Amino acid sequence: MKIIAHRGASGYAPENTLSAFELAMKMGSKAFEFDVHLTKDKQLVVHHDYDLKRTAGSPAKISGLDYAELKKINVGNKFGFPVERIPLLEEVVDLISPKAEWINFEIKNDGGAYPGIEEALLGFIRSRPALSAKSLFSSFDYTTLKKLRVLDKHIALGYLGHNLRAVFLLPAIMRARAVKAVNFHIALRLASRLNVALLRKAGFKVCVYTVNEKAAALQIQKMGVSGIFSNYPDILSKEKK
Ligand code: G3P
Ligand code: MG
């Protein structure tokens, strides 16, 4: 079971910053997840929210700023880190590539917030041939997954269900199949033995987010999932259960 550094080692360093990814690498992570957005001047950047309220106390939206403006904002005032910037996607990829065996690009594009983000991301991936084989693309926005599949027959896709409930698992499986997703990512509350078995039987690799308790990680491991997204890359070696 892969332990996927969720937004980097975000339990110890400001999420989705170069420091968080650097720390995850130091902790031995080989699998990484981060969230991709597009600035006003069409630069791919890594951040979780669409705006900077939570990470910087600023109401600014990523879509409303050029990268030159965005990079002036401090999103790192946490865990004793004084200053951190929103990184460009290429900075994150350049940093983690030597160690990364598996990279999950989660595209934030609810309601088509970032027209052209799919082309921009595929353009970036194609500019780095070694990257495709270890990359997986997921999104809560189904239109984004459909578009990625139209643009590229071969890339690996991961289905992410928005507010998915167990009763909706079958329709979600149909949708995931329709875009030829190889992975199916589910929230921890849905990670029952039955649901995981159903998804595995349907042919998907299952990953669960976000698992931050060792006891939960050990329980899920027994279900045969392919990975867990955790803010704590050391979750399995932690003393506390
Ligand atoms: O990609 C897994 C997980 O990160 C999805 O939820 O909100 O943490 O991006 P979120
Ligand atoms: Mg994410």
Side-chain angles (χ1 to χ4, degrees), residues 24-234:
M25 288 168 74
K26 275 194 197 131
M27 296 175 88
S29 293
K30 293 185 165 54
F32 301 84
E33 184 266 2
F34 46 77
D35 310 285
V36 182
H37 296 249
L38 199 63
T39 62
K40 192 176 166 192
D41 58 340
K42 311 290 177 208
Q43 300 291 310
L44 293 161
V45 293
V46 171
H47 191 256
H48 181 269
D49 301 352
Y50 290 82
D51 62 45
L52 308 185
K53 279 189 207 121
R54 187 174 56 86
T55 52
S58 157
K61 282 187 173 177
I62 294 179
S63 62
L65 295 180
D66 286 345
Y67 185 65
E69 301 168 275
L70 193 65
K71 74 175 183 192
K72 291 185 197 149
I73 299 173
N74 177 14
V75 291
N77 212 344
K78 213 177 168 188
F79 304 112
F81 286 71
V83 179
E84 288 291 327
R85 306 296 173 198
I86 292 183
L88 287 166
L89 174 71
E90 63 174 305
E91 293 179 303
V92 174
V93 169
D94 285 347
L95 177 69
I96 65 177
S97 279
K99 291 274 166 69
E101 292 175 0
W102 192 84
I103 304 176
N104 181 189
F105 298 76
E106 190 201 328
I107 305 153
K108 295 294 191 197
N109 194 24
D110 288 357
Y114 301 119
I117 193 170
E118 301 91 345
E119 288 89 346
L121 185 54
L122 287 179
F124 171 75
I125 301 294
R126 285 171 186 155
S127 72
R128 286 154 197 253
L131 205 53
S132 306
K134 53 184 175 186
S135 298
L136 179 106
F137 304 87
S138 61
S139 184
F140 282 117
D141 185 68
Y142 189 59
T143 307
T144 300
L145 291 184
K146 283 196 289 190
K147 187 159 175 198
L148 285 171
R149 179 51 76 224
V150 168
L151 290 170
D152 193 315
K153 283 197 183 70
H154 304 292
I155 53 163
L157 295 181
Y159 186 88
L160 258 173
H162 217 2
N163 294 325
L164 199 58
R165 283 191 275 142
V167 283
F168 296 132
L169 218 45
L170 284 175
I173 285 173
M174 304 302 282
R175 284 153 70 84
R177 278 193 176 141
V179 292
K180 298 190 165 51
V182 285
N183 275 43
F184 202 113
H185 298 169
I186 54 172
L188 179 56
R189 65 186 162 76
L190 279 185
S192 65
R193 201 170 286 275
L194 192 71
N195 287 344
V196 171
L198 182 69
L199 292 169
R200 290 184 66 203
K201 207 169 162 216
F204 298 105
K205 287 183 183 164
V206 181
C207 295
V208 179
Y209 65 91
T210 307
V211 186
N212 288 330
E213 302 280 338
K214 183 176 179 181
L218 292 171
Q219 205 182 351
I220 290 167
Q221 190 171 32
K222 288 191 214 134
M223 299 177 190
V225 303
S226 155
I228 55 167
F229 297 92
S230 181
N231 300 349
Y232 302 95
D234 59 348

